[in-house]
Amino acid sequence: MKEILKEGNPAAVVEISKQAGDTRNHDKWRWVEPSVWTERMLTALEEGVKGGKWFALMDKVYSGKNLKAAWEKVKANKGAAGIDRQSIEAFQAKEEEYLEELQESLRENHYEAKPVKRVWIPKQGSKEKRPLGIPVVKDRIVQTALRNVLEPIFEKTFAEQSYGFRPGRGCKDALRRVETLLKAGKTWVVDADIKSYFDTIAHDILMKDIKEQVADGRVLELIEGYLKQGVTDGLDQWEPEGGTPQGAVISPLLANIYLNKLDREMQLKGYEMVRYADDAVILCSTEEEANKALTLMKARIEERGLTLHPEKTRIVDATMKGGFDFLGYHFERSTRWPRKKSMKKLKDSIRQKTKRTSGESMECIIGNLNRSLRGWFEYFRHSNRKTFQMTDKWIRMRLRSILRKRRGRHGMGRGTDHWRWPNAYFSDLGLFTLSAAHEQARQSRCGNH
């Protein structure tokens, strides 16, 4: 690439330092973008910068190497075109030219984000739909470059109990923490739901939080520009007064910044909160402790201009019937299984792949099913064994119904169909059996102890 994109005049520390990937002294920062985060910058991150704020960051955002790295991430993620209708493929055809234009506009302070295109996608387990914002490709690249620079700065400040949209963390880590706390006797649970979180984040409060770490005026302007980025929905266009657009690259980081002070205070007060984005639970030893935790959380949430959903936020005793849902699972009485919405989503997917009128061979149908079943099992493998037994039974019923239809018979697979096409028949065709996979995983865990 032609001198990608001229580097401008980056700070001297960038020119003379090794890249982050060249050092063994910062293993916990291996995920950072090495074209941005040098060894000396990581040392400054760990030891603290003068005044506690980062100043010269804009040149890191528009550096040629960072923009190139950001483009590679955007390209890998694919995604739909924004309001300008420019696809990933169209950008790729002239990537050198477009990246140079982006760098120039950012360096000369001429860059302006385009409005995001609003689309509506189905809400899991509901007839309602939720809004998703699709930025244009160029904005996704700049947001990624901005995140490459900012994420390590704020990641260092984030609390231990925050798991959503963070490097090296995910749903499974949050679920393991919940399981550990329940086994430790913290069975009184505050099941909290923040109402319309991503849409109600107050811009002024968020910017105040960001300014506690970042003092580069141009970077702050860039962030504010994204918060005020217009939204286009059909013929309508408006500027949001609050919130961060779901679907934007920078939104998850901003959302975590906004709740970090809540995380820190709950931690300081000794409450065991486990949070994944706007989904949070607080696990306590007594009902009294749970009530105090909820009171504190409600007060701090309201100070941030947010609201706990009055119907979805509650205190439950996880040792009793009823339990609580968290990250796709239902926890109740020392066990867990997929929540109703998770099971409905799986069954809806299977129904689409096992229509009685399907003209595909049984081998093809099973091959298609297996792709869904393996991925689903990987996430829900820690469920109660009855979950897998019942789901296997239901899946085989669907397959027997197809075979029954092909023999000119009506209705679901039943009666002598179980003898005509026994469980072994489907196993021989390669059907992924959830209960068998669960038993194998259980034996493997036992063998490791």
Side-chain angles (χ1 to χ4, degrees), residues 116 132-133 143 198-199 226-227 229 231 240 243-249 251-252:
V116 299
L132 182 69
Q143 286 189 28
F198 285 91
D199 296 328
Y226 284 126
L227 293 176
Q229 197 171 7
V231 178
T244 62
Q246 294 190 52
V249 177
S251 285

Side-chain angles (χ1 to χ4, degrees), residues 123-342:
K123 245 184 178 177
Q124 184 178 326
S126 171
K127 293 182 179 179
E128 297 179 7
K129 294 187 176 183
R130 66 181 182 91
L132 182 69
I134 303 178
V136 300
V137 175
K138 290 181 180 179
D139 287 342
R140 300 207 292 268
I141 294 170
V142 176
Q143 286 189 28
T144 303
L146 182 61
R147 188 184 67 187
N148 287 346
V149 173
L150 294 180
E151 193 166 26
I153 294 172
F154 290 97
E155 177 63 26
K156 185 175 184 294
T157 72
F158 289 157
E160 181 65 26
Q161 63 262 50
S162 168
Y163 291 88
F165 311 113
R166 292 182 60 188
R169 290 174 162 240
C171 292
K172 292 182 180 180
D173 301 299
L175 290 166
R176 275 192 288 270
R177 183 58 182 161
V178 168
E179 190 73 33
T180 298
L181 291 169
L182 288 171
K183 288 179 178 177
K186 293 186 176 293
T187 55
W188 281 95
V189 181
V190 179
D191 183 7
D193 183 278
I194 303 174
K195 190 175 182 181
S196 303
Y197 174 53
F198 285 91
D199 296 328
T200 54
I201 290 174
H203 292 170
D204 56 340
I205 297 176
L206 174 59
M207 290 306 302
K208 184 178 178 182
D209 290 343
I210 293 171
K211 288 174 183 177
E212 290 179 4
Q213 302 292 327
V214 175
D216 187 315
R218 292 180 62 187
V219 168
L220 295 172
E221 286 178 12
L222 194 58
I223 297 170
E224 283 189 288
Y226 284 126
L227 293 176
K228 296 176 181 178
Q229 197 171 7
V231 178
T232 298
D233 188 352
L235 298 177
D236 297 326
Q237 184 171 318
W238 68 94
E239 182 180 297
E241 295 181 0
T244 62
Q246 294 190 52
V249 177
I250 200 73
S251 285
L253 174 60
L254 298 180
N256 275 332
I257 292 171
Y258 200 73
L259 285 183
N260 189 43
K261 287 188 175 178
L262 168 68
D263 296 338
R264 285 295 186 187
E265 177 152 7
M266 299 304 288
Q267 185 180 46
L268 184 65
K269 299 294 185 181
Y271 293 118
E272 294 286 2
M273 184 169 75
V274 181
R275 183 177 68 80
Y276 193 99
D278 57 341
D279 200 355
V281 289
I282 308 171
L283 294 98
C284 306
S285 300
T286 65
E287 184 176 11
E288 181 184 9
E289 182 187 355
N291 277 300
K292 288 181 179 178
L294 176 56
T295 299
L296 176 61
M297 184 182 191
K298 185 174 184 292
R300 296 299 174 263
I301 282 288
E302 290 177 354
E303 285 176 3
R304 309 238 99 204
L306 303 170
T307 307
L308 288 177
H309 200 295
E311 296 173 3
K312 296 180 181 179
T313 299
R314 61 204 180 103
I315 293 175
V316 300
D317 180 355
T319 65
M320 305 296 288
K321 185 177 180 180
F324 65 97
D325 293 342
F326 186 61
L327 298 181
Y329 273 95
H330 179 77
F331 291 83
E332 183 179 324
R333 293 176 288 187
S334 301
T335 189
R336 57 169 152 156
W337 57 84
R339 67 173 185 165
K340 289 180 180 179
K341 288 183 179 180
S342 299

Side-chain angles (χ1 to χ4, degrees), residues 400-401 404 409 412-422:
R400 289 185 180 109
S401 297
R404 182 183 177 91
R409 303 173 71 187
M412 298 184 298
R414 61 185 184 274
T416 57
D417 292 342
H418 291 78
W419 298 100
R420 186 174 291 111
W421 302 293

